[in-house]
């Protein structure tokens, strides 16, 4: 096919994409040249999606384009960062113009929404694999980290969790759900909303934060490990969607919320002393966070409870680990 | 295998790696936190290597680790940037500990040499693919670009070119060469040296620069296009190694130098007014650049000459294009 790498970038990834003033030079040189606001720190995240592993042929190209940016912006959100620039490494088996049309459309939509400038990357031939590196910034010293949780801090989760896992299970015919519920949860699996505004609002409020990509149990576990603390979580407080609670048993809904990933909500902790400010900020955010428990001093110990008794439905299943 | 993604990072990519003071938080959170020197601009490059496309099973894992960093550092060098941080997206078909040992060794060696801190990335399961995003910086406004060449500027190439192409041809048994020459050129194919020090020395001297990844003809062509100028190049001035000139005919040696990529030398232009300073700087650099021609006002026209006559060996073969 007489369609070159340079044409590809020119056709699909250049025109009518959002431009930012802090990009001195974007696509078209050996590397991009950027300026950073003064007194700020740079935040950098990288995530890869591999065809056949993170998505399959059922997933529309537009959703692939949205999601590969969304998962990276979700990492920036978990740091409290303002997103700015994306690099894209795109490995494609062949020049599939229809797929590229959809993919670049999905990617451009989310770049438009968050004012992200695609500053460069690489296109190569090979098995379909996408890597995005996302860059953002925070005022110096304000980044949210995993290692700041203290005993007594309250634990919150934004939005609802377990929906993306339900969508995947339904798609793999492991569970039967209604068409309308399926459409709703599939939207969450395919077009996750990174909690960018919430993350930034939490900068001076939360003591720690993480995005839920591998499941609440695994990701809260990362906070506990990094902060050297424990947690008590009341399983009846987990924020569950109607789609989830109406599709599976009450106990299974909790299991989806705990163990399935890909929801890209934020899990974060708030010290007692910041709860007043937090409630004020909260009122402005649509992804209203729910308090699910409290940090304890028992290092690395996550207690799942119901009415202050151990939850009987707990099992040992952890989060998603690619080489587990 | 009871070997997880987190163990992988911990075992191969954390301990005894170079650490930098400007890394507030590297591996181990949702994203890395970095500080930039004041009055500087950030330079970002991304390159991917795919197994079966950019390298094959013959290539030692240590060379893969070296090269995926080197090609990115070469992009930073072509901008005149000082390298600082690397992100790595590593997609692996299986947990091959021997390969990982070699790969991480090669990557760590080059990180050590250039004082680069591996700040994060992603490890996923899938066909062997590596994407590195390299970050560096330049004092504000000093980045070397492709679009600054002016008629009358002198054209230079560092080191020697065509060696990596010869190594590939020999490996594919398209040409027969002596064992000692093969060892020498294979080293260049497997362990290219990004011209980082030279690039930084050229900041206030060169009017444009690019690294030679796709072949001199194609990459000088990018300078001509971006700068809207032309060039005259004397093919007898091309810097060729003894390994190249002793292995193929004189005309073929020129063709290797013009058309084969992967040498990662710098091609750059120097205005007449900066030649005095340039010669002073030159004396300090081992990768002594050779003057091969001059920029003209004929937009996009590359004239290959010998004794000021058109070179008869020219053909239409361009550089490497993945989807050509």
């Amino acid at each position: 096919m007489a369609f070159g790498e340079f044409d590809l970038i020119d056709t699909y990834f250049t025109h009518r994409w959002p431009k930012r003033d802090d990009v001195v030079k974007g696509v078209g040189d050996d590397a991009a040249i950027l300026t950073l606001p003064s007194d700020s720190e740079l935040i950098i995240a990288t995530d890869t999606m591999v065809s056949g592993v993170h998505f399959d042929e059922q997933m529309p190209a537009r959703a692939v384009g949205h999601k590969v940016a969304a998962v990276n912006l979700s990492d920036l959100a978990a740091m409290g960062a303002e997103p700015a620039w994306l690099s894209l490494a795109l490995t494609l088996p062949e020049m599939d113009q229809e797929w590229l049309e959809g993919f670049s459309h999905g990617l451009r939509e989310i770049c438009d929404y968050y004012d992200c400038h695609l500053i460069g990357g690489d296109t190569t031939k090979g098995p379909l694999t996408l890597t995005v590196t996302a860059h953002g910034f925070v005022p110096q010293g304000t980044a949210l980290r995993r290692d700041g949780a203290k005993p007594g801090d309250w634990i919150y989760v934004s939005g609802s969790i377990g929906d993306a896992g339900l969508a995947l299970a339904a798609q793999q015919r492991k569970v039967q759900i209604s068409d309308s519920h399926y459409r709703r949860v599939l939207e969450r699996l395919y077009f996750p909303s990174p909690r960018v505004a919430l993350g930034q609002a939490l900068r001076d409020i939360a003591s720690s934060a993480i995005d839920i990509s591998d499941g609440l149990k695994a990701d809260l576990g990362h906070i506990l490990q990094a902060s050297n603390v424990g947690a008590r979580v009341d399983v009846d407080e987990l924020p569950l969607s109607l789609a989830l609670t109406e599709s599976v048993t009450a106990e299974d809904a909790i299991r989806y919320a705990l163990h399935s990933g890909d929801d890209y909500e934020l899990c974060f902790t708030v010290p007692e002393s910041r709860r007043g400010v937090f409630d004020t900020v909260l009122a402005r955010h649509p992804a209203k966070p729910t308090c699910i428990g409290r940090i304890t001093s028992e290092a690395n110990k996550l207690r799942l409870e119901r009415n202050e008794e151990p939850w009987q439905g707990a099992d040992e299943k952890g989060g998603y680990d690619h080489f587990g």
Side-chain angles (χ1 to χ4, degrees), chain A:
Chain A
M1 211 174 327
F3 201 86
E5 181 179 350
F6 303 105
D7 298 319
L8 188 162
I9 294 165
D10 199 49
T11 305
Y12 296 107
F13 298 104
T14 310
H15 304 297
R16 303 189 310 276
W17 283 67
K19 305 287 179 215
R20 293 173 57 98
D21 289 343
D22 51 14
V23 179
V24 179
K25 179 76 190 176
V27 172
D29 213 302
D30 290 279
I33 310 173
L34 298 316
T35 57
L36 211 67
S38 57
D39 300 321
S40 60
E41 284 166 345
L42 180 66
I43 307 294
I44 303 178
T46 297
D47 266 305
T48 297
M49 283 173 55
V50 182
S51 176
V53 179
H54 303 88
F55 62 97
D56 61 18
E57 288 173 2
Q58 291 180 69
M59 188 163 171
R62 184 173 147 251
V64 176
H66 174 96
K67 190 160 178 174
V68 73
V71 299
N72 276 281
L73 295 177
S74 178
D75 281 325
L76 295 191
M79 305 297 287
E82 178 189 336
W85 319 306
L86 299 185
S87 302
L88 169 68
L90 175 59
T91 301
L92 280 175
E94 58 185 347
M95 181 62 56
D96 179 341
Q97 303 208 16
E98 190 182 328
W99 191 89
L100 275 164
E101 194 72 58
F103 172 80
S104 63
H105 182 197
L107 183 59
R108 201 180 70 194
E109 281 175 325
I110 189 167
C111 282
D112 269 327
Y113 188 83
Y114 291 103
D115 192 24
C116 284
H117 190 137
L118 187 68
I119 55 166
D122 196 9
T123 56
T124 52
K125 198 175 167 73
L128 186 57
T129 308
L130 307 105
T131 294
V132 163
T133 300
H135 302 79
F137 19 81
V138 293
Q140 208 173 328
T142 65
L144 301 172
R145 300 168 53 144
R146 297 177 179 177
D147 57 9
K150 293 273 185 300
D153 290 356
W154 300 93
I155 305 166
Y156 287 83
V157 167
S158 66
S160 64
I161 52 177
D163 295 342
L166 178 64
L168 196 63
Q171 199 172 54
Q172 296 171 342
R173 300 188 192 289
K174 290 176 182 165
V175 59
Q176 277 212 320
I177 67 176
S178 76
D179 284 353
S180 68
H181 285 334
Y182 183 58
R183 277 194 300 276
R184 194 155 304 172
V185 293
L186 195 64
E187 184 80 7
R188 296 218 55 195
L189 179 65
Y190 280 173
F191 295 94
S193 297
R195 300 303 184 187
V196 170
L198 179 63
Q200 290 178 57
L202 291 171
R203 269 178 204 157
D204 299 312
I205 295 170
S207 52
S208 72
I210 194 169
D211 73 324
I212 304 175
S213 53
D214 297 339
L216 174 65
K217 194 177 168 189
D219 289 316
L220 176 56
H222 293 316
I223 288 185
L224 303 188
Q225 189 167 29
S227 301
N228 201 33
V229 293
R232 282 191 296 113
V233 166
D234 187 331
V235 295
D236 287 334
E237 298 300 328
L238 296 175
L240 310 177
S241 71
L242 207 62
L244 181 57
T245 54
E246 288 187 352
S247 297
V248 299
T249 66
E251 297 300 282
D252 275 348
I254 292 170
R255 288 188 194 99
Y256 275 104
L258 289 172
H259 300 300
S260 68
D262 260 4
D263 286 313
Y264 298 99
E265 296 295 347
L266 295 185
C267 173
F268 55 94
T269 57
V270 176
E272 175 68 27
S273 64
R274 304 300 286 161
R275 269 193 119 186
V277 186
F278 175 65
D279 287 341
T280 315
V281 169
L282 246 183
R284 296 206 306 270
H285 284 282
K288 196 185 169 198
T290 303
C291 186
I292 62 165
R294 211 158 180 188
I295 295 294
T296 69
S297 56
E298 293 179 296
N300 274 309
K301 183 77 188 170
L302 174 60
R303 294 185 185 275
L304 299 170
E305 302 182 342
R306 166 173 279 159
N307 300 324
E308 303 189 3
E309 295 291 323
W311 178 52
Q312 299 302 325
D315 61 24
E316 289 309 302
K317 213 174 119 196
Y320 191 68
D321 186 331
H322 291 287
F323 297 100

